[in-house]
Amino acid sequence: MSDNQLAPLYDKHETCALCKSTFTSKKIRSRFIKLDHTDTDLCPYYKDEEISPLLYFVKVCPKCGYSYSDHFGTYFPEGTRDAIENLVSAKWVPHNYGEERTVQQAIQTYKLALYCATLKKEKAIVLASLLIRLAWLYRKAENIKEERRFLELAVEKFNESYLEAYYSNTDMTEIRVMYLLGELNRRLGNYDKAVAHFSKVVDQQNSTLEKKVVDMAREQWYTTRDLMKKEQEEEAPNVES
C-alpha cells in the first residue's frame, strides 16, 4: 500500500493500567514524521505541524481519566492507585482524546498526565519530560508566559532527575539532562548555572558517544558567555571622562 493510500494517523489499542478498560489512542506512522529542525532545547518542528508526535505523546483513558505516556512505570506505589481513583476517576467526566488533536487539546492531555504522574509518584525524569514538552507546545502556541512557567518547572524536575540518576524507560541520558539544564537555564536568564552545566557536558567529551550533545553544549557555552558579557557591559555604570 502506498503512502497516498495510508492515513498518517492510526488507532493504537491501549489497556488502561488503572481500570483495565481498553481504548484506542492515535499514533503517527513513522514514515509520515518529517522533522524540519529543532530548537537549541531540542524542541522539534515538523514539516507538517498537524502531524507532530508531540500532540499524541499522552494517552488518556476515556473511561477513568488516567493519563500517561510510555515513560510511566507499570507499578503503582502503595496508596497511589486509590489517590488517582479518588482525585481523578471519581471526578472524571467521560471524554475521548482518541481522535485528532489540536495544540490546545494536547496541552489538556499533558496537564492531566502531570496530575496523574504526581499522584502516582513517578520518577522526576517522567515529570520533567512532560513539563518540557508542555513548554514546547506553549511556545508553538506563542504563549510566552506559560512557556516560561513550564520551563521553570522543567528545570526543577530535571535537577531532581539528575540527582536521582534514573532515566530508564525514557529518551533521556545523564549528558542530555545536563545539557538541557544548561540550555533551559540560559533561556531563563540564569547564565551562571547555564555555563556550569555546559562545562560539565564538555568535560565529558572523551567519555561519551553523544558527540553532538557535546558540540551543542560547547556552542551554547560560547553563546552564554557572550550574553553574560553583554549583560555586564549594560549594567556597568557610565563614567564620564
Side-chain angles (χ1 to χ4, degrees), residues 41 131-156 183-191 231:
D41 64 352
L131 288 163
I132 194 171
R133 285 173 169 83
L134 192 45
W136 292 343
L137 286 175
Y138 274 118
R139 183 179 304 166
K140 290 168 187 271
E142 299 181 345
N143 188 329
I144 297 172
K145 182 180 178 181
E146 287 299 281
E147 176 195 346
R148 184 181 178 88
R149 181 163 80 94
F150 283 102
L151 286 179
E152 289 173 345
L153 292 169
V155 166
E156 291 179 18
E183 179 56 19
L184 298 188
N185 273 299
R186 184 192 72 78
R187 285 173 174 264
L188 293 168
N190 305 322
Y191 297 143
E231 189 177 75

Side-chain angles (χ1 to χ4, degrees), residues 161-178:
S161 68
Y162 179 67
L163 294 174
E164 287 179 354
Y166 180 93
Y167 313 109
S168 296
N169 204 38
T170 73
D171 53 0
M172 286 293 163
T173 60
E174 181 179 302
I175 200 163
R176 287 189 186 188
V177 168
M178 278 195 292

Side-chain angles (χ1 to χ4, degrees), residues 40 179 182-183 186 191 194-199 201-202 205 213-231:
T40 48
Y179 171 77
E183 179 56 19
R186 184 192 72 78
Y191 297 143
V195 166
H197 286 295
F198 289 140
S199 296
V201 176
V202 176
Q205 60 186 319
V213 179
V214 173
D215 290 342
M216 291 168 66
R218 185 181 290 107
E219 184 174 336
Q220 293 307 94
W221 185 90
Y222 285 119
T223 298
T224 310
R225 295 292 294 183
D226 288 343
L227 288 170
M228 291 175 71
K229 184 178 179 181
K230 182 179 179 182
E231 189 177 75

